Amino acid sequence: MTEADVRHAHEGKGVTAAHEQGTIRQAHEKDCGAVLSIFNHYAVHGFAAYADKPVRERYFTGLLKNAYAFYVVDSPEGVLGFGFVKPFLPFSAFATTGELSYFIMPEYVNQGFGSLLLYRLIRDSRTKGISMVVAHMASWNEEGIRFHRKHGFYDAGRLKKVGKKFGEPFDILLMQKAI
């Protein structure tokens, strides 16, 4: 799905499987349990989240308070995923750079929800004066790396063996995209 396809579906001019199954809406306090459940799945089952044990409500509260934009994918089945953009660094020198992240329930991956979230976050980032977005991920997170490259992110650097999870050292891959 290209950004144009995602934009087209998001604007209601077309229909995609993701658009039919879920809607993007602002995250609210009531979403805390669902967001933590999704994030904690990745914390204990893979490299998409850096955490190696479940996080608590403070993680969610921090996002709700500090993110420029924080959305969930809502559906009749409940929250299927979430995404946010937050300040890259807390200094005015980086005011035009945002850091993106998103997590989709495993059974809904590769159905367009990540693309819808990405497009919405980029759109909102532009309205806040952000012109560059960055993402970083564990080198073992091959699916995340492919997703970002597919959406026009390029490799911007690599921090070698800075993390260790499940007894495995990993690199952090930095990626960015001008918006």
Side-chain angles (χ1 to χ4, degrees), residues 4 12 46 53 64 78 84 102 110 155 157 159 166:
K53 58 187 173 195
L64 208 53
F84 57 88
Y102 11 77
N110 294 318
D155 295 4
L159 304 171
F166 310 131

Side-chain angles (χ1 to χ4, degrees), residues 98-116:
E99 180 182 328
L100 298 167
S101 195
Y102 11 77
F103 296 88
I104 306 296
M105 290 175 60
E107 58 269 31
Y108 293 96
V109 169
N110 294 318
Q111 295 183 30
F113 296 114
S115 298
L116 286 170

Side-chain angles (χ1 to χ4, degrees), residues 35 38-39 59 63 70-72 81-84 101-104 117:
V35 167
I38 294 165
F39 184 84
Y59 171 78
L63 291 176
F70 182 18
Y71 293 105
V72 297
F82 70 96
F84 57 88
S101 195
Y102 11 77
F103 296 88
I104 306 296
L117 273 171

Side-chain angles (χ1 to χ4, degrees), residues 51-110:
D52 59 355
K53 58 187 173 195
V55 298
R56 297 179 187 246
E57 189 175 321
R58 187 171 62 202
Y59 171 78
F60 177 84
T61 305
L63 291 176
L64 208 53
K65 180 180 176 186
N66 299 315
Y68 293 139
F70 182 18
Y71 293 105
V72 297
V73 179
D74 201 6
S75 78
E77 293 83 29
V79 173
L80 307 180
F82 70 96
F84 57 88
V85 61
K86 63 182 185 174
F88 174 60
L89 289 171
F91 307 105
S92 61
F94 301 99
T96 60
T97 303
E99 180 182 328
L100 298 167
S101 195
Y102 11 77
F103 296 88
I104 306 296
M105 290 175 60
E107 58 269 31
Y108 293 96
V109 169
N110 294 318

Side-chain angles (χ1 to χ4, degrees), residues 127-165:
T127 66
K128 301 218 182 278
I130 294 172
S131 59
M132 182 68 66
V133 288
V134 255
H136 52 84
M137 62 219 68
S139 54
W140 293 103
N141 183 3
E142 294 174 8
E143 189 168 22
I145 294 167
R146 278 192 307 275
F147 174 84
H148 286 88
R149 286 184 179 147
K150 171 183 159 186
H151 290 287
F153 284 77
Y154 58 89
D155 295 4
R158 190 178 202 98
L159 304 171
K160 296 195 181 251
K161 297 184 181 180
V162 294
K164 189 172 187 177
K165 188 171 178 180

